[in-house]
Amino acid sequence: MAKRSTVRRMVKDKIKDIAKDLAQELRWFNDVLKLKSELTAKKETKYTDIYELVPPSLKKSKSDFAQLIQEHNMEFPERFVLMLSIIPHIQPHVLDIFLQKNNFTQQNYTEFGGIKGKNFSGFLPTGETAMYVLSSDNLERRLSLYRLFDRDHPFKKNNILWLEEVEKGEPFLAGALTISREILDLITLGEERKPDFNSEFPAKLLNTNMTWDDLVLSHQTRKQFIEIEAWLDHHSKLMNDWGMSRKLSPGFKALFYGPPGTGKSLTSALMGKRTGRDVYRIDLSKVVSKYIGETEKNLAKIFDRAEHKDWILFFDEADALFGKRTSVQDAHDRYANQEVSYLLQRIETYNGLVILASNLKSNLDDAFLRRFQCIIHFPMPQQEERLQLWKLGFPEHCELESKVDLATIAKTYELAGGSIVNVLQYSMLMALNRGSNIVMNRDIIDGIKKEFQKAGRTV
């Protein structure tokens, strides 16, 4: 109880520090907006430029908000844009000043930018909103501020904030100013939460309670993990201390191929568990869209979010995308190949480990295979490995009927590890349903029949 009380107090103190820093930053932001309004109306003030309003010093502050600003050496323009992206989430009424309409056109002032949300009735800032305040009619200053939304600027590079894409032909500054959810959580709650699976992030955190001892693979397959594990442990030293960043691509690319249920997903999860990295599983069969351009957008959401996070990206069901790679006969073929090319391009520049899982190596062309540093085959388990899976599968307090001969079952029925787990679950549920801890041979056989039927096979 005392420990829980201490944690609550620490969280409360952290929120207090954040609120204090945000409050003084908000006062500065409001002062900038007020001065901008006065200068636009040509009112008499003691200032001639908004840049004369110096942002508050945060050098002694320990809040995550202050540390973010200091880490990226944010100056006046960056701090203003950062606050502009945060305010709709913490004090949206501050931006109501931009909701006034032009008396001549009865529309919002073009120079204010901004868009309306579907459910939000307030003002949502765009890149144009930032430009109006920071540059106004000063064209030279405006052009210099374009860099704030460059791909190489720390905002975009570190997935802090960005401008949403606009319709073809529209000015790029008309894009909504968007702050990443992780950064918003960090600077308002003091914690960086893991992203949930949703339309904006079509990837799911891959966890496992299993260990390497639970993974039954051939010696040959296990031996091939050494290179990947060495890269995970030493890539920073290789690239930086040994100076190989000039010659090598920033990340590592591996292909796992073999039938479903042979351990590809579990191996990826265990690699993350061993090295303390988050593993995100992307089901390409769900990311690939029939609508032109949507697949690239879905992939971009994942890679943009993952940049510089040191996540392991596990792309499952890769056949859904690479099975479409064909000779170009029509527009759909061209866009299918374009989707593959886009994924390859993002994989090449991603600075972490990317694993693609495919059922068949033959679905991938030779040019693509050469891009992988490591290709590992996950074959169907052999008789000895199947026996080991059966023996490891049943818990200690579960008894087997005397008729059960695991050696014969392993020899007779060729099943992948995932299928064996399904049979184990079925047979144990049947035992529990009888109010017993004894697994019957017939339940195991019935479970095997179910698995065979799934695959269109007969026992």
Side-chain angles (χ1 to χ4, degrees), residues 288-351:
V288 172
S289 172
K290 64 181 179 180
Y291 299 106
I292 290 171
E294 284 301 308
T295 300
E296 290 96 318
K297 287 181 181 179
N298 291 336
L299 291 169
K301 289 172 184 176
I302 295 165
F303 280 104
D304 289 348
R305 201 83 170 264
E307 210 67 55
H308 306 292
K309 294 287 200 320
D310 206 20
W311 292 343
I312 296 173
L313 298 182
F314 176 71
F315 288 89
D316 203 3
E317 302 293 341
D319 307 86
L321 183 59
F322 293 98
K324 296 167 64 179
R325 194 173 177 87
T326 59
S327 58
V328 178
Q329 296 179 1
D330 57 29
H332 289 286
D333 290 337
R334 185 167 65 253
Y335 282 109
N337 288 348
Q338 183 176 306
E339 291 166 352
V340 173
S341 298
Y342 180 81
L343 177 58
L344 297 182
Q345 173 199 335
R346 294 307 300 261
I347 287 174
E348 285 291 336
T349 57
Y350 182 61
N351 58 359

Side-chain angles (χ1 to χ4, degrees), residues 68-109:
L68 180 71
I69 288 173
Q70 292 164 18
E71 180 185 348
H72 298 289
N73 298 312
M74 294 188 193
E75 298 181 347
F76 189 114
E78 285 85 2
R79 288 176 70 165
F80 181 86
V81 171
L82 178 63
M83 285 304 296
L84 187 61
S85 69
I86 296 170
I87 284 174
H89 302 276
I90 59 172
Q91 286 196 0
H93 64 276
V94 169
L95 301 180
D96 285 353
I97 188 174
F98 294 114
L99 291 175
Q100 57 184 297
K101 292 187 176 182
N102 186 316
N103 290 330
F104 294 102
T105 65
Q106 293 304 307
Q107 295 179 344
N108 290 345
Y109 285 90

Side-chain angles (χ1 to χ4, degrees), residues 425-444:
Q425 176 175 288
Y426 174 82
S427 60
M428 286 187 281
L429 284 174
M430 293 303 100
L432 289 168
N433 204 41
R434 290 191 298 271
S436 171
N437 70 329
I438 300 175
V439 172
M440 310 294 285
N441 188 66
R442 68 171 183 266
D443 294 331
I444 296 176

Side-chain angles (χ1 to χ4, degrees), residues 47-61:
Y47 300 105
T48 60
D49 195 311
I50 60 168
Y51 288 83
E52 294 174 36
L53 294 174
V54 180
S57 174
L58 298 173
K59 288 183 179 178
K60 295 182 179 180
S61 178

Side-chain angles (χ1 to χ4, degrees), residues 211-371:
T211 69
W212 286 106
D213 292 334
D214 298 308
L215 182 65
V216 178
L217 294 171
S218 69
H219 175 70
Q220 183 61 30
T221 301
R222 277 184 177 274
K223 199 167 69 171
Q224 294 178 77
F225 298 158
I226 295 174
E227 183 183 2
I228 302 178
E229 292 178 337
W231 186 89
L232 287 169
D233 292 339
H234 306 296
H235 75 276
S236 180
K237 186 172 184 178
L238 175 70
M239 302 297 274
N240 301 319
D241 297 353
W242 287 25
M244 292 302 292
S245 59
R246 294 180 295 107
K247 298 180 180 180
L248 301 177
S249 58
F252 192 95
K253 298 168 286 296
L255 171 68
F256 291 176
Y257 74 96
T262 49
K264 300 185 290 293
S265 296
L266 179 56
T267 298
S268 303
L270 289 172
M271 283 182 175
K273 189 175 182 179
R274 187 187 77 79
T275 59
R277 289 173 169 85
D278 287 340
V279 182
Y280 282 92
R281 177 184 180 272
I282 305 98
D283 187 338
L284 279 172
S285 66
K286 292 182 172 62
V287 171
V288 172
S289 172
K290 64 181 179 180
Y291 299 106
I292 290 171
E294 284 301 308
T295 300
E296 290 96 318
K297 287 181 181 179
N298 291 336
L299 291 169
K301 289 172 184 176
I302 295 165
F303 280 104
D304 289 348
R305 201 83 170 264
E307 210 67 55
H308 306 292
K309 294 287 200 320
D310 206 20
W311 292 343
I312 296 173
L313 298 182
F314 176 71
F315 288 89
D316 203 3
E317 302 293 341
D319 307 86
L321 183 59
F322 293 98
K324 296 167 64 179
R325 194 173 177 87
T326 59
S327 58
V328 178
Q329 296 179 1
D330 57 29
H332 289 286
D333 290 337
R334 185 167 65 253
Y335 282 109
N337 288 348
Q338 183 176 306
E339 291 166 352
V340 173
S341 298
Y342 180 81
L343 177 58
L344 297 182
Q345 173 199 335
R346 294 307 300 261
I347 287 174
E348 285 291 336
T349 57
Y350 182 61
N351 58 359
L353 171 61
V354 174
I355 300 170
L356 260 71
S358 174
N359 292 337
L360 296 171
K361 183 182 175 185
S362 58
N363 281 355
L364 310 178
D365 61 39
D366 292 339
F368 179 56
L369 290 174
R370 284 195 291 270
R371 295 171 182 259

Side-chain angles (χ1 to χ4, degrees), residues 76-272:
F76 189 114
E78 285 85 2
R79 288 176 70 165
F80 181 86
V81 171
L82 178 63
M83 285 304 296
L84 187 61
S85 69
I86 296 170
I87 284 174
H89 302 276
I90 59 172
Q91 286 196 0
H93 64 276
V94 169
L95 301 180
D96 285 353
I97 188 174
F98 294 114
L99 291 175
Q100 57 184 297
K101 292 187 176 182
N102 186 316
N103 290 330
F104 294 102
T105 65
Q106 293 304 307
Q107 295 179 344
N108 290 345
Y109 285 90
T110 303
E111 57 266 39
F112 290 173
I115 59 172
K116 286 186 177 181
K118 290 181 180 178
N119 302 310
F120 179 67
S121 60
F123 182 88
L124 291 173
T126 62
E128 197 57 61
T129 312
M131 287 297 173
Y132 166 73
V133 178
L134 295 174
S135 67
S136 192
D137 294 329
N138 188 323
L139 186 57
E140 183 180 344
R141 183 180 285 178
R142 179 185 175 94
L143 295 177
S144 69
L145 289 171
Y146 279 179
R147 64 181 178 81
L148 292 172
F149 306 111
D150 282 349
R151 185 168 188 83
D152 293 331
H153 189 277
F155 278 157
K156 180 67 174 176
K157 200 172 182 181
N158 296 286
N159 201 45
I160 297 172
L161 60 85
W162 59 87
L163 295 182
E164 294 289 352
E165 286 189 22
V166 296
E167 293 296 324
K168 188 175 181 181
E170 293 187 4
F172 82 96
L173 287 172
L177 185 61
T178 304
I179 186 168
S180 79
R181 186 56 195 257
E182 289 97 331
I183 294 295
L184 184 63
D185 286 342
L186 182 67
I187 60 185
T188 57
L189 302 175
E191 58 180 288
E192 191 170 352
R193 296 178 175 180
K194 299 184 189 302
D196 295 322
F197 179 90
N198 54 52
S199 60
E200 291 303 306
F201 187 70
K204 189 174 183 180
L205 188 63
L206 191 60
N207 286 315
T208 181
N209 293 321
M210 299 176 79
T211 69
W212 286 106
D213 292 334
D214 298 308
L215 182 65
V216 178
L217 294 171
S218 69
H219 175 70
Q220 183 61 30
T221 301
R222 277 184 177 274
K223 199 167 69 171
Q224 294 178 77
F225 298 158
I226 295 174
E227 183 183 2
I228 302 178
E229 292 178 337
W231 186 89
L232 287 169
D233 292 339
H234 306 296
H235 75 276
S236 180
K237 186 172 184 178
L238 175 70
M239 302 297 274
N240 301 319
D241 297 353
W242 287 25
M244 292 302 292
S245 59
R246 294 180 295 107
K247 298 180 180 180
L248 301 177
S249 58
F252 192 95
K253 298 168 286 296
L255 171 68
F256 291 176
Y257 74 96
T262 49
K264 300 185 290 293
S265 296
L266 179 56
T267 298
S268 303
L270 289 172
M271 283 182 175

